[in-house]
């Protein structure tokens, strides 16, 4: 089976009602990133950060994958699909994708504040507050990669992208590194598709932009990939 690697961003979840970050009325419109998504913010005000992610986790409980998530999962019938997502929601998993790499962490998980890859607990959609600790008495924090922190999942992500036969970028402004640099690891000549209603130029290799929202873009891409295949 050919390997299809998908790099997704907030735009793939927009039609599920989850706000993107940099569109007008985006998530960062209401918050100062430095207060709620930066390791300095955690040092400065843990309660504000915990409340911010508790609210986003509460919203996630009733969020449903949209047709774009579903088609990405369905493509596993024809391709070996790996999803590399910048999103911290679980909509790719809810849609049935079986291989999902979360570069920026996962909203439903928490971990001790002094560790980044152990003691991780899946709490589903409940709150986590000050005073919730691990067995050692260390405060638990959201298992989210904040600005200023390392992105440990880049290693498996680069591994997957470097082996891709087809690469798809969907719903990301490619503003945040190292995720935005992943397409540089695609082997020469591999087709790159980009789905976004806004014009995005990656100035690299042979790429085709489908200027549509995620659901319509994935419908079209499925036609292109499956028709070509038959
Ligand atoms: N369908 C497809 N794409 C869409 C849709 C839609 N319905 N609506 C918006 N978009 C596109 C926008 O045009 C934009 O290019 O999705 C992209 C969203 O970009 P951002 O808001 O910057 O989100 P993202 O690229 O995922 O941000 C990356 O930045 O703030 C950090 O950690 C956070 O993971 C996030 C990272």
């Amino acid at each position: 089976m050919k390997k299809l690697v998908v790099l997704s961003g907030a735009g793939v979840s927009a039609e599920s009602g989850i706000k993107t970050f940099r569109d007008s009325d985006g998530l960062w419109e209401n918050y100062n990133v430095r207060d709620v998504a930066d390791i300095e913010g955690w040092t400065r005000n843990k309660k504000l950060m915990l409340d911010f992610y508790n609210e986003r986790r509460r919203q996630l409980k009733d969020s449903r994958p949209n047709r774009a998530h579903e088609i990405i999962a369905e493509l596993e019938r024809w391709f070996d699909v790996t999803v590399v997502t910048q999103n911290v929601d679980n909509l790719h998993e809810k849609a049935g994708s079986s291989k999902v790499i979360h570069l920026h962490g996962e909203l439903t998980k928490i971990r001790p504040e002094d560790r980044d890859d152990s003691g991780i607990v899946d709490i589903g959609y409940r709150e986590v507050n000050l005073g919730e600790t691990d067995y050692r008495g260390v405060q638990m924090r959201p298992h989210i990669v904040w600005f200023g922190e390392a992105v440990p999942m880049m290693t498996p992500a680069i591994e997957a992208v470097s082996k891709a036969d087809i690469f798809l970028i969907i719903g990301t402004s490619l503003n945040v590194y190292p995720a935005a640099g992943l397409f540089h690891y695609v082997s020469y000549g591999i087709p790159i598709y980009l789905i976004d209603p806004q014009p995005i130029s990656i100035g690299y290799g042979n790429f085709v932009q489908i200027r549509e929202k995620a659901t319509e873009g994935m419908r079209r891409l499925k036609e292109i990939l499956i028709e070509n295949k038959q």
Side-chain angles (χ1 to χ4, degrees):
M1 269 180 154
K2 283 196 170 183
K3 294 183 184 305
L4 167 65
V5 179
V6 181
L7 172 62
S8 71
V12 78
S13 297
E15 290 158 276
S16 294
I18 295 182
K19 281 192 171 185
T20 61
F21 292 94
R22 293 170 184 83
D23 286 330
S24 56
D25 89 351
L27 198 61
W28 297 147
E29 295 268 305
N30 308 322
Y31 295 91
N32 177 337
V33 177
R34 289 287 176 260
D35 292 338
V36 292
D38 184 299
I39 185 60
E40 297 305 320
W42 179 250
T43 313
R44 210 173 26 251
N45 189 337
K46 293 182 183 179
K47 183 177 181 329
L48 176 66
M49 295 273 274
L50 290 168
D51 290 348
F52 175 72
Y53 288 96
N54 284 340
E55 176 51 33
R56 291 181 65 192
R57 197 174 303 112
R58 242 190 312 277
Q59 285 176 9
L60 180 59
K61 182 176 182 184
D62 300 322
S63 301
R64 293 283 164 266
N66 60 57
R67 195 69 197 112
H69 297 105
E70 290 170 350
I71 294 173
I72 290 169
E74 285 163 15
L75 287 174
E76 294 187 14
R77 286 167 47 194
W78 295 278
F79 300 95
D80 174 2
V81 182
T82 300
V83 178
V84 177
T85 188
Q86 299 170 86
N87 300 340
V88 294
D89 66 48
N90 55 2
L91 298 184
H92 281 301
E93 291 90 341
K94 278 184 179 174
S97 285
S98 57
K99 275 197 281 183
V100 183
I101 297 172
H102 283 271
L103 292 176
H104 296 163
E106 298 177 69
L107 205 44
T108 60
K109 294 180 179 173
I110 58 174
R111 67 172 198 256
E113 65 177 330
D114 65 341
R115 290 176 172 168
D116 60 12
D117 61 356
S118 62
I120 298 167
V121 178
D122 193 323
I123 58 169
Y125 305 101
R126 71 165 173 82
E127 291 190 351
V128 56
N129 293 301
L130 281 176
E132 181 168 347
T133 68
D134 72 351
Y135 67 95
R136 301 167 297 149
V138 174
Q139 172 66 45
M140 299 299 275
R141 59 162 272 184
H143 181 50
I144 300 284
V145 176
W146 288 324
F147 287 102
E149 295 189 301
V151 184
M153 296 310 283
M154 272 299 284
T155 304
I158 290 168
E159 176 76 19
V161 171
S162 60
K163 292 177 179 166
D165 298 303
I166 305 168
F167 189 57
L168 165 62
I169 300 170
I170 179 167
T172 173
S173 61
L174 294 173
N175 260 303
V176 173
Y177 287 80
L182 267 177
F183 66 81
H184 289 294
Y185 294 92
V186 172
S187 301
Y188 181 75
I190 293 295
I192 301 178
Y193 295 91
L194 191 150
I195 296 175
D196 197 304
Q198 297 301 325
I200 302 255
S201 166
I202 62 172
Y204 173 89
N206 64 326
F207 89 99
V208 171
Q209 176 164 0
I210 302 173
R211 273 196 66 177
E212 294 287 354
K213 291 188 173 181
T215 50
E216 175 54 23
M218 280 311 303
R219 191 192 63 74
R220 290 209 194 164
L221 181 65
K222 183 179 175 182
E223 280 175 358
I224 294 167
L225 294 180
I226 305 308
E227 275 167 16
N228 286 359
K229 209 171 157 62
Q230 274 143 6

